[in-house]
DNA sequence: ATAACTGCAAATCTTTTGCTTACAG
DNA sequence: CTGTAAGCAAAAGATTTGCAGTTAT
């Protein structure tokens, strides 16, 4: 792995939030101004292929871009609030069970799982809305 | 709902497969040649807001476009095969349970759920790959 | 009337590609 | 050496927007 790739992976691991390609590139440029967009995108594609990062859409809350996060040991889902734009991560045994069930009953070799939920968080909850 | 919207919804309901915006537009144009791209996109956005259709990415198997399907009574997940490009739909009580659990334990009013899985189907299964 | 919908053309935004030079094993 | 990676500039693809004219309530 080259230094540029290490740099990009490091940024993703360090970041507390989910970064889109443009933001990731901007941060990388602070440390090495000549990193190019193409390099960022090519590296992202490569890391995604190797299963080192996950790609998210976060319900396209702000445009069509994608977000990335370093893969963690435990898969988790993302709940995106249409009210405040916040992202809540959620992991549970029930999610693991569902994955196992899909792999087995669906006879499918799972490589990537993406579970995203859109709605309203505790603070933005709508009085009327139940589900 | 205007006639154009009815037309677009009708196409989505009738289609056995998942349509992207461009294909949807092409089909609609066969019936009414002056429907414009903008109308298709605006209608899609509106239907999505009202919860009448679901938007899918299908793991971006062929580019960054989105796919749409008329909302069904039962949420289901989509398994996209990296080998043959096929899409398998999968619904199960375990999925429903997970949704309930997320809403309750995460204290979240769910409006949209999108569960997409990428990997290899029965026919494209890789000898070595287990998960 | 008043508000919502449409077509058309142009713009925007994100991501990808071709090509040449620079590096790493 | 030989293949892979990086920079640069231009292209491609999907979706959105401004505006003027049309339709529906």
């Amino acid at each position: 792995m080259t230094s540029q790739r290490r740099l990009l992976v490091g940024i993703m691991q360090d970041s507390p939030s989910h970064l889109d390609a443009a933001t990731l590139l901007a941060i990388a440029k602070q440390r090495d101004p000549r990193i190019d967009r193409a390099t960022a995108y090519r590296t992202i594609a490569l890391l995604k292929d190797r299963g080192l990062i996950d790609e998210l859409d976060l319900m396209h809350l702000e445009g069509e871009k994608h977000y990335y996060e370093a893969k963690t040991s435990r898969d988790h889902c993302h709940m995106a609030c249409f009210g405040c734009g916040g992202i809540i991560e959620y992991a549970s045994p029930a999610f693991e069970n569902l994955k196992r069930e899909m792999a087995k009953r669906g006879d499918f070799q799972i490589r990537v799982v993406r579970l995203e939920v859109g709605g309203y968080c505790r603070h933005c909850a709508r009085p009327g809305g139940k589900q």
Side-chain angles (χ1 to χ4, degrees), chain A:
Chain A
M1 185 137 60
T2 68
S3 62
Q4 305 237 347
R5 292 189 181 154
R6 260 189 296 274
L7 175 55
L8 290 168
V9 179
I11 292 170
M12 285 188 252
Q13 287 171 335
D14 294 350
S15 175
S17 60
H18 304 100
L19 303 174
D20 63 275
T23 308
L24 182 65
L25 176 61
I27 296 175
K29 275 195 165 168
Q30 287 171 9
R31 302 200 213 173
D32 181 345
R34 51 211 186 124
I35 289 188
D36 187 75
R37 220 175 342 181
T39 302
Y41 279 106
R42 284 193 270 240
T43 302
I44 286 171
L46 187 142
L47 297 173
K48 204 169 48 166
D49 274 1
R50 296 199 189 164
L52 296 173
I53 59 175
D54 275 324
E55 184 181 66
L56 314 170
D57 288 2
L58 302 183
M59 298 317 273
H60 300 296
L61 242 45
E62 17 174 345
E64 300 304 309
K65 58 195 166 198
H66 295 119
Y67 299 85
Y68 301 92
E69 67 179 9
K71 201 144 193 162
T72 55
S73 48
R74 188 174 219 62
D75 277 334
H76 53 272
C77 100
H78 296 91
M79 304 195 290
C81 179
F82 294 148
C84 62
I87 304 294
I88 304 169
E89 302 199 346
Y90 185 89
S92 90
F95 185 28
E96 298 300 320
N97 285 338
L98 177 57
K99 276 167 46 187
R100 257 195 300 279
E101 185 196 288
M102 286 190 294
K104 191 174 173 190
R105 278 200 18 214
D107 203 354
F108 197 89
Q109 285 180 5
I110 296 177
R111 285 291 160 79
V112 197
V113 177
R114 195 151 89 196
L115 173 52
E116 302 193 351
V117 175
Y120 294 92
C121 75
R122 173 169 33 259
H123 308 103
C124 302
R126 301 281 162 103
K130 189 185 158 224
Q131 127 86 342

